[in-house]
Amino acid sequence: MKLVFFRGKVPNFGDELNTYVWPQILPEGFLDEDESELFVGIGSIIGTHLPETSRKFVMGSGYAGYMGLPDVHDGSWDIRFVRGPKTAEKLKISSDLAICDSAILLRQMELAKPATGIDVAFMPHYESLERGPWDEACRLAGIKLIDATDPLEKVIAEIKGARVLITEAMHGAIVADALRTPWIGAKPIFAGHHMKWLDWSGALDIELRMHELKPSSVLEYYIGRTGRGGPAGKIGALSRSPLAAIPNAFLTHSAARHLQKMAKYEPQLSSDAKIAEVTEKAAAAVDGFVRSRLAVS
């Protein structure tokens, strides 16, 4: 059974969590390279891109509209649980399967000690790191930048050690909430990333508050205004726009001032009771799956 997850040209914290969580949660040798069976884990990876001929086992994944909507009732899918109620609704499956994103299983793992000396931190979406000078914006704001492309243990330790995390990256919020670090949701500049936040937060009964995030560059401003995300090839269209005459520095300073403002907002956390409940359900679903597989092997 092969673990499948999204991997782009750079590592992304949320997706790379698959390489950290599952080898520690699952028995040794449980996963291999046999593509006739696929273990569909953390991330928005439910879609028509997965081979029709493979048996697909879903463990806390989500559907975010990035790929085509599959027919999960065609006999090739075995859904143990999904990220949230919006995924369940889209797939037309029981709402009882809308437990939570499986990154919550970090709560059952022995993690590195929290990083020290961090007050307020900001975690941009990994695409925003490519599109804007968020390192400079954070420096100007006096806020710690958490880089979603850094090694996993470093990112986890920084999230765990922060007093408050402002995050555009959904898995920044997911991990912060799991580890009980208060977080402030920043509405992703690319609108295509919005729905999955509602999916995850709905599973945890969170009354989600998403705050506007100011762009730190002309490209981010362009994407926010036009809704055109995807590859950086969109820069070509931007170069033909009057927006190209706006200096990045102006927007970077504006973004820094806005981060300082956001740092004063009231952070969020799911309730202790709810996070414990869904952790137990997710762990039980994984354990039940493993036991059923081992019983027939």
Side-chain angles (χ1 to χ4, degrees):
M1 182 182 301
K2 184 175 181 178
L3 172 65
V4 293
F5 60 97
F6 173 77
R7 177 171 276 165
K9 61 182 180 180
V10 295
N12 169 40
F13 176 67
D15 299 306
E16 294 296 321
L17 279 171
N18 284 285
T19 67
Y20 187 76
V21 171
W22 300 119
Q24 296 188 55
I25 294 290
L26 300 174
E28 185 176 355
F30 193 85
L31 298 172
D32 54 33
E33 295 300 308
D34 182 0
E35 296 186 0
S36 67
E37 295 184 320
L38 303 178
F39 188 97
V40 186
I42 301 166
S44 303
I45 52 173
I46 297 174
T48 53
H49 64 295
L50 297 174
E52 292 183 9
T53 56
S54 298
R55 182 77 170 153
K56 295 166 283 287
F57 300 93
V58 177
M59 298 287 163
S61 317
Y63 178 78
Y66 299 146
M67 287 82 68
L69 181 64
D71 176 10
V72 298
H73 304 282
D74 67 359
S76 71
W77 295 79
D78 185 334
I79 299 178
R80 298 306 172 109
F81 67 105
V82 295
R83 181 170 59 208
K86 289 193 173 295
T87 291
E89 181 180 356
K90 281 286 186 180
L91 300 181
K92 297 180 180 179
I93 60 175
S94 171
S95 59
D96 291 343
L97 297 175
I99 295 176
C100 197
D101 188 288
S102 43
I104 201 170
L105 295 170
L106 285 168
R107 288 173 54 82
Q108 297 203 323
M109 297 166 56
E110 191 169 332
L111 304 176
K113 292 181 179 180
T116 59
I118 302 176
D119 184 34
V120 179
F122 173 57
M123 187 173 181
H125 190 279
Y126 83 100
E127 291 175 342
S128 294
L129 288 169
E130 300 176 331
R131 296 167 176 167
W134 283 105
D135 53 348
E136 176 65 6
C138 286
R139 186 191 68 79
L140 291 168
I143 287 174
K144 166 70 176 177
L145 174 73
I146 297 182
D147 187 333
T149 67
D150 274 347
L152 289 168
E153 289 192 346
K154 179 174 185 279
V155 176
I156 292 170
E158 289 175 343
I159 291 175
K160 194 175 180 183
R163 180 180 65 83
V164 175
L165 176 68
I166 304 169
T167 180
E168 184 194 19
M170 183 187 69
H171 275 94
I174 290 173
V175 172
D177 197 81
L179 303 183
R180 306 282 81 185
T181 296
W183 52 271
I184 296 167
K187 186 181 295 184
I189 289 173
F190 174 51
H193 297 316
H194 293 181
M195 190 275 279
K196 62 185 182 181
W197 278 80
L198 298 173
D199 188 35
W200 161 69
S201 61
L204 282 166
D205 297 338
I206 296 170
E207 293 185 12
L208 185 65
R209 299 190 297 271
M210 295 294 285
H211 304 280
E212 181 185 8
L213 183 65
K214 298 287 187 182
S216 67
S217 70
V218 177
L219 179 56
E220 286 188 311
Y221 182 83
Y222 173 78
I223 289 168
R225 290 295 295 270
T226 64
R228 296 176 182 174
K234 302 296 184 183
I235 295 174
L238 173 63
S239 67
R240 298 187 292 274
S241 166
L243 295 175
I246 303 173
N248 268 352
F250 172 80
L251 293 171
T252 305
H253 280 74
S254 173
R257 290 192 296 271
H258 191 67
L259 282 177
Q260 290 175 325
K261 180 179 179 182
M262 290 183 73
K264 298 176 183 178
Y265 294 161
E266 182 181 357
Q268 295 194 256
L269 272 180
S270 63
S271 72
D272 290 343
K274 190 64 179 181
I275 198 78
E277 174 193 331
V278 298
T279 302
E280 184 177 345
K281 286 183 177 180
V286 173
D287 183 63
F289 172 66
V290 170
R291 288 177 181 275
S292 67
R293 295 289 298 182
L294 295 178
V296 298
S297 61

